[in-house]
Amino acid sequence: MSPPRRLLAAFLAAYSLGAHGQQTLPSLQELEAAGAVIGEIHIRPQNIFDLDDPRENNRLFRLANMLHITTRETPIRRALLFKRGDRLSVRRIDETERLLLANRYLYSAEIRPVAYEGGVVDLEVVTRDTWSLKPDISIGREGG
């Protein structure tokens, strides 16, 4: 590791512990500049409605969440353009978010750092489902 990169890594390590001993994480750009390597990747698929939000915590939305099958980790993990041990790349993370959002069953996708220590960053992939029973009309003709 070059001296400037070592200095940046040392700065980020010191920066990662903020006031009261709580960890404040550097941005993805800072982590990439420091040459951070990806550690654990946590997939957190979320339901359609966020019941922690008072505007979305009502009977109808709770019923919709109950009837809806939340997206599994496997298709989300397959769409990732990075894996454990890769150097962190903001471009790959942005492209992965774009690819995830191209799926009609996802409303939102966000990839963020959740821990950083010793040059290794753990990432969290948070997705929110969309209602999967949207009507879709298709007209076609088969035969001769």
Side-chain angles (χ1 to χ4, degrees), residues 104-143:
R104 292 176 37 193
Y105 55 86
L106 293 178
Y107 174 75
S108 68
E110 181 185 7
I111 302 170
R112 57 187 175 217
V114 291
Y116 178 66
E117 187 176 324
V120 178
V121 61
D122 292 346
L123 298 176
E124 179 178 59
V125 180
V126 180
T127 61
R128 178 162 308 281
D129 286 356
T130 189
W131 186 251
S132 56
L133 295 178
K134 288 183 180 176
D136 188 19
I137 298 173
S138 176
I139 299 173
R141 181 172 181 264
E142 291 183 32

Side-chain angles (χ1 to χ4, degrees), residues 43-47 68-79 100 103 105-106 125 127 129:
I43 309 292
R44 304 269 189 259
Q46 305 294 309
N47 222 325
H68 176 77
I69 299 171
T70 306
T71 302
R72 296 193 178 164
E73 283 187 32
T74 305
I76 296 169
R77 195 169 291 280
R78 264 186 269 170
L100 287 169
N103 293 304
Y105 55 86
L106 293 178
V125 180
T127 61
D129 286 356

